[in-house]
Amino acid sequence: MHVEVYQAKADFFRTLGHPARIRVLELLQEGPLPVRDLLAQIDIEASSLSQQLAVLRRAGIVSAIREGSTVVYTLATPELANLLGTARRILTDMLADQGELLAELRAEVT
């Protein structure tokens, strides 16, 4: 692979590297949502949500469609939902391993 491919991958994961963006993507897994519904489910200011949506839109991770005065967002590709599911499983496994280590450490103390 060329350095450009690695850079593109790094940029992609960097784009995902914000809690509000992850939350937006998780909500959009269920289907398209208008901005007002996203805002109601994410505890951030409207201007901050707008900035995060703009980052995701510029990166091509979400798509926006205007329906009258409402802007509705959707995942650009269903594979993003798969990626989030995979990340959840990896984190679950990692935390389970940490829980086992914590239990072993606590057992050593007693």
Side-chain angles (χ1 to χ4, degrees), residues 45-82:
E45 297 292 322
S47 60
S48 294
L49 178 60
S50 178
Q51 290 173 351
Q52 301 310 325
L53 288 168
V55 169
L56 292 170
R57 201 173 50 248
R58 278 192 304 271
I61 293 173
V62 298
S63 300
I65 299 168
R66 182 169 292 282
E67 295 179 357
S69 62
T70 302
V71 178
V72 177
Y73 281 86
T74 186
L75 294 178
T77 176
E79 282 80 14
L80 288 163
N82 296 337

Side-chain angles (χ1 to χ4, degrees), residues 19-97:
R21 292 182 212 142
I22 296 295
R23 183 68 179 126
V24 165
L25 297 176
E26 286 179 343
L27 291 169
L28 293 177
Q29 288 180 100
E30 304 299 319
L33 287 172
V35 173
R36 70 177 173 276
D37 290 356
L38 291 169
L39 191 56
Q41 297 184 56
I42 302 174
D43 189 28
I44 60 173
E45 297 292 322
S47 60
S48 294
L49 178 60
S50 178
Q51 290 173 351
Q52 301 310 325
L53 288 168
V55 169
L56 292 170
R57 201 173 50 248
R58 278 192 304 271
I61 293 173
V62 298
S63 300
I65 299 168
R66 182 169 292 282
E67 295 179 357
S69 62
T70 302
V71 178
V72 177
Y73 281 86
T74 186
L75 294 178
T77 176
E79 282 80 14
L80 288 163
N82 296 337
L83 177 64
L84 292 169
T86 299
R88 184 176 292 113
R89 287 188 299 278
I90 291 168
L91 287 171
T92 299
D93 291 346
M94 290 170 62
L95 292 173
D97 291 344

